[in-house]
Amino acid sequence: MSQSVSDSSTSQVLQEVLAANEAYSGNFGTKGELPLPPGRGFAILTCMDARLDPAQYAGLSEGDAHVIRNAGGRASDDAIRSLIISHKLLGTKEWFVIHHTDCGMELFTDTIIRNLLSKSLKTATVDENGWRNVTEEGGSDEARFIPFLTFTNLTDSVTEDVKRIKSHPLVPKDIPVYGFVYDVKTGKLNEVAEATQAGLATA
Ligand code: ZN
């Protein structure tokens, strides 16, 4: 007897996702014919925060643009890897760096998360006294090798990331990189002038 991952014994979230996908694929229309390179020729680097939906806030449909997401929307080595592929092999010509208000990356430091992880891998809690492990067993010191790329100032984090991308030797000078902060209270994108200035295309 074959066993499907969507058996009733499995997670509710898993069942919901598979049901949603059934409906989505049933209504797929002509999207199967979309070409691989993004049709509108641009890429967005943004945070993984669940309140952000780049397709909604930037008006994207399937096939339009690359969206690269990580914690904070930071210009990590891996984000830059994706942007380089996005341009070099898939032709994007304009990039956005979009961080957001109330970002969780402002709520801890490398030291805090490394200490928490060294004592337990279970989800920590936070209150007015800061972050705290619920149990203290089964941790690992491996986090000391991970730069978590936290920040304390949104304008600075966007500007720093635009500058890092623009100054990378594998990023062509003629790609403009725009810097924005998404406001989770209003859904509005607010430009960070200093970042966009730093990200101007040059010949
Ligand atoms: Zn965030």
Side-chain angles (χ1 to χ4, degrees):
M1 192 176 79
S2 72
Q3 192 161 6
S4 162
V5 289
S6 57
D7 282 352
S8 60
S9 61
T10 57
S11 127
Q12 185 179 344
V13 167
L14 176 56
Q15 291 182 55
E16 289 168 0
V17 166
L18 294 175
N21 180 255
E22 192 73 26
Y24 178 72
S25 65
N27 226 343
F28 206 53
T30 58
K31 290 197 278 274
E33 289 147 37
L34 285 168
L36 194 163
R40 293 171 60 198
F42 70 97
I44 294 174
L45 169 60
T46 197
C47 185
M48 69 183 187
D49 191 293
R51 295 166 295 182
L52 274 59
D53 184 347
Q56 297 282 343
Y57 75 55
L60 308 179
S61 296
E62 291 90 337
D64 277 353
H66 285 145
V67 177
I68 299 146
R69 301 186 73 165
N70 62 34
R74 301 307 315 263
S76 60
D77 289 347
D78 195 67
I80 290 174
R81 175 186 70 90
S82 295
L83 287 169
I84 290 164
I85 293 167
S86 175
H87 167 74
K88 182 67 184 175
L89 301 182
L90 295 164
T92 63
K93 293 177 167 56
E94 296 172 76
W95 297 343
F96 292 75
V97 172
I98 303 176
H99 296 178
H100 67 97
T101 59
D102 197 36
C103 187
M105 298 295 280
E106 297 172 285
L107 305 179
F108 67 99
T109 61
D110 278 5
T111 304
I112 289 171
I113 194 170
R114 284 171 181 159
N115 282 337
L116 288 167
L117 285 164
S118 71
K119 299 187 183 78
S120 169
L121 305 186
K122 296 225 185 299
T123 300
T125 60
V126 67
D127 59 25
E128 66 277 9
N129 297 316
W131 291 95
R132 185 164 57 80
N133 275 322
V134 178
T135 60
E136 298 215 325
E137 57 174 331
S140 166
D141 288 329
E142 277 295 301
R144 69 187 187 280
F145 299 115
I146 299 178
F148 286 90
L149 308 178
T150 61
F151 52 80
T152 55
N153 180 298
L154 267 175
T155 303
D156 290 350
S157 68
V158 174
T159 306
E160 187 182 305
D161 283 358
V162 168
K163 284 181 175 168
R164 176 158 197 237
I165 292 165
K166 280 301 285 188
S167 62
H168 197 284
L170 294 174
V171 171
K173 302 286 173 242
D174 60 353
I175 293 187
V177 184
Y178 315 117
F180 283 86
V181 170
Y182 173 87
D183 187 332
V184 297
K185 295 285 185 217
T186 64
K188 192 167 169 43
L189 288 174
N190 293 305
E191 186 162 29
V192 177
E194 188 187 349
T196 296
Q197 183 65 33
L200 287 176
T202 51

